[in-house]
Amino acid sequence: MATIQSKDNKTIFFNYFKSLSQTPHRLRKRMLATWTPDQELNQVRLRSGADMKRKLKWYDLVALGVGGMLGVGVFVTTGPVARNHSGPSVFISYIIAGISALLSSLCYTEFSVQIPVAGGAFSYLRVTFGEFVGYFAGANILMEYVLSNAAVARSFTEYLCSAFGISDPNSWRVEVPGLLQGYNKLDFSAVALVLILTFCLCHSTKESSILNLIMTAFHIVFFGFIIIMGFCNGSVENLVKPTGLTPNGIRGVLDGAAIVYFSYIGYDSVSTLAEEIQNPPVTLPVGIIGSVFIVSGLYCLMALTLCVMVPYNQIAEKASYSMAFQRIGWKWAGNIVGAGASLGIVASLLVAMLGQARYLCVIGRARLVPSWLSKVHPSTGTPLNATLFLGLCTASIALFTDLDIVIEIISIGTLLVFYLVANALIYRKYVLTSKNPPFPTLSFLFLITSCAIGFSISWKLEQQWWGLPLFGGIIMVVTAFFQYTVPCLGPPSEWSVPFMPWPAAVSIFLNVFLMTTLKMLSFQRFAIWGLLITLFYVLYGVHSTFEAEEMGMEMAVNEVPNPSIQLTKLEV
């Protein structure tokens, strides 16, 4: 028996090293390989076994989008950004980030209506730019989900402390001597929360949606309480004290906008529920765009409320709203805020964990990760294996890692994916759908990105102000010229972004600009992550998909005279 096992192991290793020797050939075949939307909707989806159950309606989607965003942005990022970057003008940072999120959400909406599958940005980019770009975006979205969920879970502990009247946010954490700073405070409450939500999501999506709907309704009422009480007991003078509305200038406002963009990632989760909703062409636009509008308004009011109650330089970085009420003498209100914030954080965590499992499920369908992660449980209709796996990953990170370590790398990954989706929408509409030659569109995308980088460099250098109107003007002229000279002739869609290509072009510019405002350390950490996921693709992903797709096609060709399934290549 042992001899047979040894031979099997040798065979596996031999086959793997033989596959590695063919890596260049397989990369050429697979990196730009795409699926059609019809194949993504039918053939690829069948790999999960059972179908996800279509039980969600438009109000479920709006509630999931609102619930997914509200708890994250206000209670995790507002305090640190107001204190360290934007000052009282943090609400302007939210407006800027909200505009960028709205433009990105328009791009997401059109894709989600045309390709209503659970893969979100991964699926949209895979059918447009090919396998590797889709994989790279999907891996970054997964990183963003897992890290942000871990950060949000740790914030839950801080607000739960304030709900019980405990002022030290670390009092429920266990400090371990000898571990690195930032990783030395173990948070078992965060781990327990993640594991409980993981088991809830394994049970049913519809019941999880109902739970979120109830929590979100209470959460909005609770927001109203904070806004009314904050404005009644605060002072408008705090908006200009001690050093004016923008103590760090417009640069501080934009730096803050790049960080609070983290607050808007919840709408991406909504697009991953496309396989579980009724009437996608109507429900998806209402759910995605409606939730972004509602949340943007509430974010701005909540940010204003915080700065009205307390001068920006006195805002606590941990459990900011609870501490603000305690500073004005309303300790009981601080406890209520802590309880309400904890509830909001649970809702946002629920939605984000819902989305991350569906991303991994669809990446598993593509065979870029082990296929057992793609399985949908036949009785619950949920991606059980992906939910459990990512729940354990999130709980592990939440146990050790402080919020400050992950928050900026989350923003850079999110901005990059939204940048790629905006590019993909333009390419798809003007090349794949309209059948125009690709060179004019690719040149336009290159020029827009180059000018956005030039504008950002001019902004960074401070003294090179001539670059701002120059590159800004070039972007406007190039976009207008492209709109006039390259026709969009595709068949009418059930829902499409208006005034194309302007919304997508502005989204590209804003995402590039906001990325460049982040710290160099964020780019270094992101580069390490990018290297790791690229190595995984080269050592595992490309071989797995080659064997699943290319070899499968060869067998189909040998068995069937006229195979109906064709892989396409991105035409460049």
Side-chain angles (χ1 to χ4, degrees):
M1 200 66 180
T3 307
I4 294 172
Q5 180 104 24
S6 175
K7 287 182 179 179
D8 288 343
N9 290 336
K10 287 180 181 178
T11 303
I12 291 169
F13 279 113
F14 175 78
N15 290 337
Y16 177 68
F17 283 112
K18 184 180 178 182
S19 297
L20 283 182
S21 67
Q22 300 173 4
T23 298
H25 166 70
R26 294 185 173 191
L27 286 172
R28 285 195 301 271
K29 293 282 285 183
R30 295 301 313 162
M31 284 186 72
L32 297 180
T34 65
W35 290 88
T36 66
D38 183 64
Q39 290 166 347
E40 193 78 24
L41 285 166
N42 297 301
Q43 180 185 342
V44 177
R45 192 169 65 175
L46 291 176
R47 293 176 178 175
S48 289
D51 283 340
M52 298 183 194
K53 297 180 179 178
R54 292 190 179 275
K55 292 185 176 181
L56 303 180
K57 298 182 179 179
W58 69 267
Y59 52 82
D60 293 307
L61 227 56
V62 171
L64 285 164
V66 172
M69 288 183 274
L70 281 185
V72 178
V74 171
F75 299 120
V76 177
T77 59
T78 307
V81 169
R83 185 180 177 96
N84 301 322
H85 298 280
S86 305
S89 61
V90 63
F91 73 95
I92 302 176
S93 296
Y94 272 113
I95 291 173
I96 295 169
I99 292 170
S100 183
L102 179 61
L103 293 171
S104 294
S105 72
L106 292 172
C107 300
Y108 262 83
T109 301
E110 179 163 340
F111 266 121
S112 65
V113 170
Q114 293 179 2
I115 313 170
V117 294
F122 165 74
S123 295
Y124 311 152
L125 291 168
R126 195 164 79 110
V127 301
T128 307
F129 288 145
E131 182 175 277
F132 178 73
V133 175
Y135 161 79
F136 193 81
N140 275 290
I141 281 286
L142 279 177
M143 172 207 62
E144 164 252 303
Y145 270 125
V146 171
L147 292 182
S148 65
N149 290 344
V152 170
R154 288 181 72 93
S155 295
F156 169 80
T157 302
E158 296 164 4
Y159 274 99
L160 200 60
C161 285
S162 65
F164 286 93
I166 301 169
S167 57
D168 181 10
N170 291 315
S171 59
W172 286 5
R173 293 174 179 150
V174 179
E175 188 166 353
V176 180
L179 293 179
L180 288 174
Q181 185 69 27
Y183 302 91
N184 60 338
K185 293 175 181 175
L186 307 186
D187 195 331
F188 292 101
S189 302
V191 172
L193 174 64
V194 170
L195 293 179
I196 290 169
L197 292 179
T198 297
F199 290 122
C200 288
L201 292 171
C202 288
H203 175 65
S204 169
T205 301
K206 180 61 179 178
E207 277 71 15
S208 299
S209 171
I210 293 171
L211 175 63
N212 171 77
L213 188 61
I214 295 169
M215 289 191 294
T216 301
F218 278 112
H219 202 193
I220 292 176
V221 172
F222 162 69
F223 266 40
F225 167 80
I226 294 178
I227 292 167
I228 293 169
M229 293 298 102
F231 275 108
C232 289
N233 294 277
S235 171
V236 179
E237 291 182 0
N238 287 333
L239 292 176
V240 293
K241 288 183 178 179
T243 52
L245 184 65
T246 55
N248 296 315
I250 189 65
R251 191 171 300 277
V253 174
L254 292 172
D255 288 347
I259 297 173
V260 301
Y261 201 87
F262 160 74
S263 311
Y264 289 92
I265 59 177
Y267 77 80
D268 176 73
S269 300
V270 176
S271 70
T272 66
L273 299 170
E275 289 183 28
E276 298 164 83
I277 61 174
Q278 301 171 7
N279 195 9
V282 174
T283 304
L284 282 165
V286 172
I288 296 174
I289 300 171
S291 60
V292 172
F293 265 115
I294 293 169
V295 167
S296 296
L298 288 172
Y299 277 166
C300 293
L301 288 173
M302 288 289 287
L304 269 173
T305 301
L306 181 63
C307 295
V308 163
M309 284 196 293
V310 183
Y312 83 93
N313 60 339
Q314 297 177 27
I315 293 173
E317 293 195 41
K318 305 288 186 181
S320 307
Y321 285 86
S322 293
M323 297 299 109
F325 274 105
Q326 291 183 23
R327 290 187 71 89
I328 64 174
W330 284 30
K331 187 174 181 180
W332 64 270
N335 295 348
I336 292 176
V337 170
S342 300
L343 187 67
I345 285 171
V346 172
S348 67
L349 196 56
L350 180 74
V351 178
M353 291 176 67
L354 200 70
Q356 71 179 15
R358 279 136 188 85
Y359 261 110
L360 187 57
C361 172
V362 177
I363 293 173
R365 289 176 186 171
R367 301 297 188 257
L368 289 161
V369 294
S371 59
W372 65 271
L373 289 166
S374 69
K375 298 304 177 185
V376 173
H377 196 276
S379 61
T380 64
T382 60
L384 186 67
N385 295 340
T387 303
L388 288 171
F389 176 75
L390 289 175
L392 292 173
C393 291
T394 303
S396 302
I397 296 171
L399 179 63
F400 293 98
T401 313
D402 277 352
L403 170 67
D404 296 339
I405 293 172
V406 301
I407 193 167
E408 287 201 0
I409 192 172
I410 294 169
S411 289
I412 191 173
T414 306
L415 289 164
L416 175 66
V417 172
F418 292 170
Y419 161 81
L420 289 172
V421 170
N423 278 271
L425 181 64
I426 292 175
Y427 188 87
R428 182 167 184 77
K429 286 181 76 74
Y430 287 89
V431 177
L432 301 182
T433 305
S434 299
K435 306 299 182 184
N436 292 312
F439 180 75
T441 302
L442 290 174
S443 300
F444 168 66
L445 295 175
F446 175 77
L447 282 171
I448 289 290
T449 300
S450 300
C451 289
I453 293 171
F455 185 95
S456 302
I457 292 172
S458 299
W459 176 266
K460 281 279 187 183
L461 295 177
E462 296 187 31
Q463 296 178 351
Q464 305 297 327
W465 293 111
W466 57 267
L468 301 182
L470 173 64
F471 290 112
I474 291 174
I475 289 173
M476 295 181 69
V477 170
V478 166
T479 304
F481 181 76
F482 178 79
Q483 183 184 28
Y484 180 74
T485 57
V486 181
C488 187
L489 302 173
S493 175
E494 294 174 293
W495 195 95
S496 59
V497 179
F499 309 114
M500 281 291 288
W502 290 94
V506 175
S507 179
I508 291 170
F509 168 77
L510 286 175
N511 285 317
V512 170
F513 180 73
L514 291 175
M515 269 192 283
T516 60
T517 63
L518 297 171
K519 296 175 183 176
M520 184 56 68
L521 183 60
S522 301
F523 285 90
Q524 292 169 352
R525 289 171 175 165
F526 179 76
I528 294 170
W529 171 250
L531 178 62
L532 289 175
I533 60 178
T534 302
L535 280 174
F536 182 84
Y537 178 76
V538 171
L539 296 177
Y540 175 84
V542 70
H543 303 291
S544 178
T545 60
F546 183 88
E547 290 167 8
E549 312 297 352
E550 302 288 343
M551 290 184 175
M553 283 181 62
E554 288 176 11
M555 291 175 63
V557 169
N558 292 331
E559 294 173 6
V560 184
N562 296 308
S564 60
I565 298 170
Q566 295 283 338
L567 275 178
T568 61
K569 289 279 184 168
L570 175 65
E571 297 177 355
V572 180

